Amino acid sequence: MRRTRTNYPAQRNRSAFHNTSWMEAARCRGETDTFLAASEDLVATRQAATRRALSICDQCDVSVQCRDYARQNEEVGIWGGETESSRSRF
């Protein structure tokens, strides 16, 4: 089953929403589909999207902030060069 996150900030840790200005500098802006490949997609398509997303993260100046944000907020998809499964270890 695919995890989903709430879109209601009031139900989440408000401290996590302080200073998200780093998002403006994210190299992935406008590439949502690459980072949130649907579970229904063909395996090859998901793997290609994952490789593309990770290569974008490798070149991003704010990947550390992105990764930390995703870990704190249990985000879905690829954030800061980490997949959901790699973040689940933290």
Side-chain angles (χ1 to χ4, degrees):
M1 175 178 270
R2 185 178 169 104
R3 287 186 314 165
T4 58
R5 66 179 177 92
T6 180
N7 290 323
Y8 304 101
Q11 294 178 356
R12 297 170 68 197
N13 180 355
R14 286 189 180 270
S15 66
F17 291 94
H18 295 304
N19 191 10
T20 55
S21 61
W22 58 267
M23 289 181 176
E24 295 296 318
R27 191 170 184 91
C28 63
R29 286 183 56 95
E31 301 257 2
T32 305
D33 292 342
T34 300
F35 289 81
L36 296 172
S39 59
E40 299 84 32
D41 290 346
L42 296 172
V43 171
T45 303
R46 279 188 307 189
Q47 289 173 340
T50 298
R51 284 191 302 274
R52 173 150 170 67
L54 293 174
S55 72
I56 291 170
C57 291
D58 283 344
Q59 300 170 27
C60 185
D61 293 333
V62 295
S63 61
V64 172
Q65 295 94 322
C66 182
R67 181 200 64 217
D68 292 345
Y69 178 87
R71 286 178 181 176
Q72 185 175 6
N73 294 289
E74 299 178 8
E75 295 290 346
V76 297
I78 296 171
W79 288 71
E82 289 184 335
T83 62
E84 291 174 56
S85 61
S86 63
R87 273 195 307 281
S88 68
R89 292 179 270 188
F90 292 96

